[in-house]
Amino acid sequence: MRVVVALGGNALRKKGEGFDYETHYDNALLTFQRLAEAGFFSNDRKVVITHGNGPQVGMEFVRHFLTKERFPMYPLHALTASTQGWIGYILEATLRRTLRERGMEREVATLMTMVEVSPDDPALRDPSKPIGEFMTKEQAMELSILTGLPVKEDANRGWRLVVGSPKPLRVINSRIVKALMEAGVIVIAAGGGGVPVKGDFSGVPAVIDKDRASALLGLEVGADALYILTQVPAVYINYGKPDQRPLRKVRVEELKRYAEEGHFAPGSMLPKVEAAISFVEGGGKRVVITSPDFVAEAERGEAGTVVLP
Amino acid sequence: MRVVVALGGNALRKKGEGFDYETHYDNALLTFQRLAEAGFFSNDRKVVITHGNGPQVGMEFVRHFLTKERFPMYPLHALTASTQGWIGYILEATLRRTLRERGMEREVATLMTMVEVSPDDPALRDPSKPIGEFMTKEQAMELSILTGLPVKEDANRGWRLVVGSPKPLRVINSRIVKALMEAGVIVIAAGGGGVPVKGDFSGVPAVIDKDRASALLGLEVGADALYILTQVPAVYINYGKPDQRPLRKVRVEELKRYAEEGHFAPGSMLPKVEAAISFVEGGGKRVVITSPDFVAEAERGEAGTVVLP
């Protein structure tokens, strides 16, 4: 079986935790231990791992902004490449450690990944993807005035910087990802949704949604299943209301109806649901949405949301 | 023929140029155009490209230091991983552009690379590798007091931060580098000398010399030749003196004698010469040391220094 596992922010840094290196390392190690326990790294599974970078690329942006008197600020696409380096390193190191501790002999490769987008994508002129830390409204306004980036309230959790998030059209190195995956190598790729580039490989200052990019990569490498690991154990309808109900098994047509009815929060569950729909409608067999803590139960059909064609 | 090409600082940013993204991009593009003209990307050549990160990882360190009230400082090994991401992106984007402009169909892969070092390496207790910008003595002393890192005068060009530079023992992903190289993929790997890690893949706060790491990687992947591209067109004896003389073809025994006689500056030409010696003594057939501008002439035997067994 071929699977793409998309790691959300929660797999690297839990809500309220700091931005330090050790926090990312410890969470990544725990995530891979959970995946190993659930059988993800057994030899019959060909695996690609992707990851988000929203909080981290925002941190990089603010670091560059705060040091701009001393060094030039880098464009946002280069900052996503930077997070592919250091988050990819943390993931490969903790995954290799997890495999070795279990006596598993598999190889791991972390690939810098560019993803083609259209320079005319309307999303580039309508910033919507939140990056960086949560701030109070006052802090956010101040940073917005200083940096020139807009800010937005995000799912009632606070204010954040927002950037354009164009649609991924093509993963530049998907042939290499597929070849390594087929050879049994566990591939870490498309970090932060990939570095957005035009057809000539020049960068676009934006951040691609990692779930959309993961769905696209999954289709390009012929994955059977896409796992989207996030903060919640399942997708809920009427989320946060008294009649909240988890979806266990759901057909894509039903899920689309719920999405149209507004059950899923933009910038939070909605992009995951949309990625799931695009994967299944593109030919994928199954999407599982759950948290790292529930992934073993989800494999036994006892937790998580499974989206089917 | 299998070759490893180690790109020095000059391939990314010329002496005196700024640290901005565009400077790195333009220099990388020019370097790959030179390499393409010299025939490096023809189909009969299997190629691995490595690169340094001394100035850039120093910049990252200072960025982290200057923003430490807002975000945690990351360890030096994570900062090398960060530079592998963004420098690797610049290299892959400019290389893919170079290949496409010439109608060449080769694939490119950029791999995050860890390199094992010994935690007991004496070099970790004797910082010697310069990183970051050149500074005046006064600026350097101030930064040293603030950051706790030592500083040193570097080859009469100014003062820089210095860090420990342990000996590379094993490139963690060399089997994958070799497999991709053999399949005709141009591989970008071991950026900044690789991320230094212990046997359990935990990071070591140091920076590995990229030429030493490139020589080791070259031997591990069975490369015939190692190209070390740097600021000068050749290796000189009596460098900077009236009787300065370039070495054209030199046997490794002769080169070792010149090194012992002190012809090569520590932190500058000496590590390149030592890397050349280790590659040829380890079984490599040839090392070429020259600048990107002279690489085509070097291929015709009209420039550069060739080190032979």
Side-chain angles (χ1 to χ4, degrees), chain A residues 248-267:
Chain A
R248 189 64 65 230
K249 268 195 183 181
V250 60
R251 296 277 166 196
V252 68
E253 288 309 323
E254 190 184 343
L255 187 63
K256 283 167 86 169
R257 207 172 59 237
Y258 292 136
E260 280 159 22
E261 289 169 7
H263 280 282
F264 312 123

Side-chain angles (χ1 to χ4, degrees), chain B residues 155 239 262-272:
Chain B
Y239 185 63
H263 280 280
F264 312 122
S268 174
M269 189 50 81
L270 185 60
K272 292 173 210 317

Side-chain angles (χ1 to χ4, degrees), chain B residues 54-113:
Chain B
Q56 293 83 7
V57 76
M59 171 175 72
E60 299 272 346
F61 176 84
V62 176
R63 280 201 206 271
H64 275 245
F65 174 76
L66 293 175
T67 54
K68 71 186 165 62
E69 307 295 327
R70 178 107 180 214
F71 300 110
M73 281 189 79
Y74 279 24
L76 205 49
H77 47 92
L79 300 182
T80 279
S82 168
T83 65
Q84 286 189 352
W86 68 262
I87 299 175
Y89 157 51
I90 291 172
L91 292 175
E92 181 169 330
T94 52
L95 176 53
R96 283 186 182 268
R97 182 173 153 185
T98 301
L99 295 171
R100 179 178 293 172
E101 284 171 0
R102 282 164 177 73
M104 302 173 112
E105 289 277 320
R106 297 185 68 168
E107 274 283 1
V108 182
T110 303
L111 286 168
M112 192 286 299
T113 306

